[in-house]
Amino acid sequence: MTSPKVEIYTKFTCGFCHRAKALLTSKGVEFTEYDITMDGAKREEMLQRKPDAFTVPQIFIDDQPIGGSDDLAALDRAGRLDPLLGL
């Protein structure tokens, strides 16, 4: 089984972003981070992928939009995150 592709759009000073990355890191999950603080092109890419994404982080697992830090934590509490991550 291959590891899923995990992507996270963040901003430099975002506490929720740090929390989401810490959760993924604690599970040993590799992810690609796109810091949109000064990158308008990546911000546009995020909005194209999830048009109602007005906040960061925005997390995608195998191109499926997961939402933000609270959504990621809720999936984890419900026991639904590990299967998505192939754990």
Side-chain angles (χ1 to χ4, degrees), residues 56-70:
V56 288
Q58 288 298 321
I59 303 153
F60 293 82
I61 299 176
D62 282 339
D63 295 316
Q64 174 186 341
I66 299 303
S69 178
D70 291 344

Side-chain angles (χ1 to χ4, degrees), residues 6-27:
V6 180
E7 300 166 285
I8 181 169
Y9 292 84
T10 64
K11 285 189 175 179
F12 180 70
T13 59
C14 168
F16 290 101
C17 300
H18 293 294
R19 192 177 328 163
K21 292 188 295 183
L23 176 57
L24 293 170
T25 299
S26 75
K27 292 183 171 290

Side-chain angles (χ1 to χ4, degrees), residues 9-81:
Y9 292 84
T10 64
K11 285 189 175 179
F12 180 70
T13 59
C14 168
F16 290 101
C17 300
H18 293 294
R19 192 177 328 163
K21 292 188 295 183
L23 176 57
L24 293 170
T25 299
S26 75
K27 292 183 171 290
V29 174
E30 291 186 19
F31 55 88
T32 303
E33 179 178 2
Y34 306 116
D35 185 336
I36 66 168
T37 305
M38 303 293 280
D39 190 342
K42 279 295 178 190
R43 182 179 187 285
E44 284 302 313
E45 176 184 285
M46 177 185 81
L47 289 170
Q48 285 179 1
R49 293 177 76 182
K50 191 164 189 290
D52 61 345
F54 298 110
T55 61
V56 288
Q58 288 298 321
I59 303 153
F60 293 82
I61 299 176
D62 282 339
D63 295 316
Q64 174 186 341
I66 299 303
S69 178
D70 291 344
D71 302 304
L72 188 70
L75 281 175
D76 191 39
R77 283 191 304 275
R80 297 187 359 232
L81 181 58

